Amino acid sequence: MIYCISILILTINLSFVFYIFFIKKANLILAFHLTEFFVLYNLLTVLNIFTQMTRYELSIYIGMLSYSIIYSIIFLFLWMVLSNHLPKNYKILSCLKNINLNIISYTVSSWVFFKAYLFIKYGYRSLRIFQLFIYRGESEALAYWEYVTSGLLTYMAIGCFFVFMVHVLIEPARTLKLRNILPLSFFALFYILLGEASVGARRFILASIIFSVLTYVLEKNYNIKQFIKPKYFTTLLLICLIPFIFSFYYQHIRTNFYNSDISALLASDSLSNRLKGMVMYLTPSMVEEVTQAEQITQLRKGVFDLLYSVVEKQWDVGKKGYGVITLSTLDNIVPRAFNSEKQYKSADELTVNIIGISPGEFDYTELDLPTSVMSIFEADFGLIGLLFAPILYFVFIVFYILQFVKYNDKNQVISLAALGLLLVTASNIEVQIDTFFSNLRDYILLIIILTILSFLKLSIFEIFNQKKVAK
């Protein structure tokens, strides 16, 4: 019975997205976010049931799985209320096409060079994957300006990557040139394979494919018959095969960073040893060595499972955080520059301690649960807290849409940063609340810095002209 219910709810959700986008021609970003939510929340849960034979208590399972329908209704209602004030699909598509390919190349190249600078200076400590899982205590090595710059350049590069995918589908002849392909290839290599993707490597590729396909449908004016033509069908088929090919390769390198020999080379003071360690990390290992790290990877489930565990525990003992988890993690957005004694507060640890979840199936060397906005709000406020999640996503997604369109003609660097943050926010279901606000903090900082630089540039130009006239 549980199989039938799971497939039924998943079918309802995906049919809903198909209806609002293809039939009602709803907003591209709305369809993108809901598709990502249904895939990562519903589809992965269904796959866990069939592949891992996961067992749930039926009443809680149905309630939590059905929450995806409630989420989509709330999100769609909010969207309809403000629909007259939001950019239409033709405007979003026009802004995507308007991004200059040269700016894409320069921005991504800046990201590559800055990451290379960090790696030369800090070695393994500059890599996000090692900070999270091995040397987490040393993740403060980067200076604050380096940390912020790295984050902002990353979001700009993400925006570039998505725009590039759209350009490839729409204008392949003009887009597929070496000066455009080369920096994007380096970005794909370092960002995806080195664990820099905050949303997860395979989920990032999935998001880029979903966004590209939806944009392509929009460009073809929703003419589904276009996809039947061999030319377009072959292109889309090749694009959809990318994650499967990549997953096979990634599956055989993802645990390499737990190898003590590789981590020792990456930690070396010698640049040649660091590069050797990087090559070893990227070399697939076909040996099935069951390590603690591999067990961690196998045990880790999705967003649904943690939310289910929180609800199940609350039904048993009735514990809530009453806002403690939410408020505590929001302290994380205060920059280290203003608080030298700042201690990172983990929503994972707070959830385990306050709600009383036994790590059990979520057992990690460093506690790393599949935390989501839903599980945090549920742990803090109970079932009513689940209603807050779509509101939070809606506010930030709408803000970044408006920023992307606003700066598209004024300043495409800011526009790309807004686009990157928009797409990461819309596709990142496994995320803590403080991430929303820390990203917003850095984005506002970028606007302030670029505004000051623009003012100084105009002032210097004006002074130069006045001196020229005086002569």
Side-chain angles (χ1 to χ4, degrees):
M1 181 179 178
I2 196 170
Y3 299 109
C4 296
I5 293 172
S6 302
I7 294 173
L8 176 62
I9 294 176
L10 177 62
T11 303
I12 291 173
N13 288 334
L14 295 179
S15 299
F16 175 70
V17 172
F18 183 88
Y19 174 75
I20 63 171
F21 185 69
F22 285 92
I23 308 302
K24 303 303 289 184
K25 299 183 179 179
N27 189 281
L28 168 69
I29 305 300
L30 168 66
F32 172 68
H33 174 61
L34 292 181
T35 302
E36 280 284 319
F37 186 87
F38 295 149
V39 168
L40 298 177
Y41 186 84
N42 292 84
L43 180 58
L44 288 186
T45 305
V46 173
L47 293 176
N48 271 337
I49 293 176
F50 283 99
T51 59
Q52 300 186 25
M53 305 302 290
T54 310
R55 292 292 176 263
Y56 302 96
E57 200 283 316
L58 187 61
S59 59
I60 300 178
Y61 174 82
I62 294 175
M64 289 301 93
L65 205 61
S66 300
Y67 166 69
S68 58
I69 299 176
I70 299 173
Y71 181 99
S72 61
I73 291 173
I74 294 173
F75 199 92
L76 182 61
F77 172 76
L78 294 172
W79 199 282
M80 290 173 63
V81 170
L82 291 180
S83 60
N84 291 333
H85 305 284
L86 297 176
K88 307 302 179 185
N89 278 337
Y90 73 88
K91 182 63 177 178
I92 295 174
L93 187 60
S94 173
C95 289
L96 290 170
K97 292 179 179 180
N98 189 46
I99 299 291
N100 190 292
L101 287 173
N102 289 330
I103 290 181
I104 291 177
S105 299
Y106 296 145
T107 302
V108 177
S109 297
S110 299
W111 182 89
V112 172
F113 286 124
F114 192 76
K115 284 294 182 179
Y117 152 76
L118 292 178
F119 183 72
I120 292 171
K121 183 177 180 181
Y122 296 105
Y124 67 84
R125 290 173 294 174
S126 68
L127 301 177
R128 179 179 178 274
I129 195 72
F130 292 97
Q131 293 173 13
L132 289 177
F133 294 105
I134 296 183
Y135 301 103
R136 192 169 186 173
E138 300 181 33
S139 62
E140 302 293 314
L142 274 66
Y144 180 68
W145 75 269
E146 292 171 330
Y147 176 80
V148 172
T149 302
S150 177
L152 290 172
L153 282 174
T154 296
Y155 288 119
M156 293 177 204
I158 290 171
C160 291
F161 185 81
F162 277 79
V163 171
F164 183 76
M165 292 281 287
V166 172
H167 277 276
V168 168
L169 285 172
I170 295 175
E171 303 174 298
R174 190 171 73 92
T175 307
L176 293 175
K177 295 180 179 179
L178 184 61
R179 67 173 182 270
N180 299 325
I181 296 174
L182 193 60
L184 266 298
S185 299
F186 276 108
F187 172 77
L189 174 66
F190 291 114
Y191 183 73
I192 298 173
L193 296 183
L194 296 184
E196 293 293 294
S198 59
V199 299
R202 285 173 288 192
R203 283 177 287 170
F204 175 79
I205 291 182
L206 175 67
S208 63
I209 290 173
I210 291 174
F211 184 77
S212 299
V213 170
L214 291 176
T215 308
Y216 189 66
V217 171
L218 182 61
E219 165 68 15
K220 297 301 178 182
N221 199 27
Y222 304 94
N223 186 359
I224 303 177
K225 293 180 180 179
Q226 290 275 358
F227 298 100
I228 303 175
K229 295 181 179 180
K231 175 183 175 181
Y232 301 116
F233 180 78
T234 304
T235 302
L236 287 174
L237 181 62
L238 288 173
I239 290 176
C240 291
L241 282 175
I242 290 174
F244 295 100
I245 298 171
F246 167 78
S247 294
F248 178 78
Y249 170 69
Y250 184 68
Q251 189 65 30
H252 290 88
I253 70 164
R254 61 182 305 185
T255 57
N256 280 353
F257 54 73
Y258 292 104
N259 185 303
S260 58
D261 294 333
I262 294 176
S263 57
L265 285 171
L266 288 165
S268 171
D269 292 331
S270 168
L271 180 58
S272 61
N273 283 341
R274 293 180 191 176
L275 294 174
K276 182 180 178 181
M278 185 66 69
V279 172
M280 290 177 64
Y281 168 73
L282 294 173
T283 302
S285 173
M286 304 306 292
V287 179
E288 295 296 333
E289 181 183 354
V290 181
T291 61
Q292 182 183 10
E294 199 170 72
Q295 291 171 359
I296 290 171
T297 303
Q298 292 170 351
L299 285 170
R300 200 176 202 285
K301 296 182 180 178
V303 167
F304 177 88
D305 292 273
L306 179 59
L307 179 58
Y308 173 90
S309 298
V310 171
V311 173
E312 185 179 43
K313 191 67 176 180
Q314 285 183 330
W315 280 30
D316 288 341
V317 298
K319 288 186 178 180
K320 295 178 185 176
Y322 298 103
V324 171
I325 302 174
T326 302
L327 293 176
S328 295
T329 55
L330 285 179
D331 287 343
N332 295 332
I333 69 174
V334 179
R336 294 197 311 272
F338 299 109
N339 183 7
S340 58
E341 299 180 357
K342 172 184 173 181
Q343 295 292 323
Y344 179 78
K345 297 178 181 178
S346 168
D348 297 344
E349 295 173 2
L350 289 169
T351 301
V352 167
N353 294 333
I354 293 175
I355 304 303
I357 297 174
S358 173
E361 60 181 307
F362 304 107
D363 194 10
Y364 304 94
T365 306
E366 289 282 350
L367 190 62
D368 179 31
L369 305 182
T371 306
S372 65
V373 172
M374 289 79 72
S375 62
I376 293 175
F377 281 145
E378 169 65 35
D380 259 345
F381 308 109
L383 292 175
I384 192 69
L386 292 176
L387 302 179
F388 302 152
I391 298 174
L392 182 69
Y393 270 101
F394 176 81
V395 169
F396 277 88
I397 286 173
V398 166
F399 172 76
Y400 288 128
I401 288 177
L402 295 175
Q403 290 290 297
F404 168 61
V405 173
K406 174 183 177 181
Y407 285 101
N408 194 257
D409 289 322
K410 298 179 181 178
N411 190 319
Q412 291 198 344
V413 172
I414 296 178
S415 185
L416 280 170
L419 177 63
L421 285 163
L422 165 63
L423 297 173
V424 168
T425 302
S427 63
N428 202 358
I429 308 302
E430 185 182 323
V431 63
Q432 298 190 19
I433 295 174
D434 61 331
T435 302
F436 286 84
F437 293 94
S438 59
N439 287 343
L440 177 62
R441 173 201 66 197
D442 294 343
Y443 175 72
I444 293 173
L445 181 61
L446 172 67
I447 294 177
I448 293 173
I449 292 172
L450 291 182
T451 300
I452 292 173
L453 290 176
S454 178
F455 175 76
L456 290 175
K457 179 182 176 182
L458 290 174
S459 299
I460 293 171
F461 184 74
E462 185 177 343
I463 293 172
F464 178 78
N465 279 343
Q466 288 176 354
K467 288 183 177 180
K468 191 174 181 180
V469 171
K471 290 180 180 180

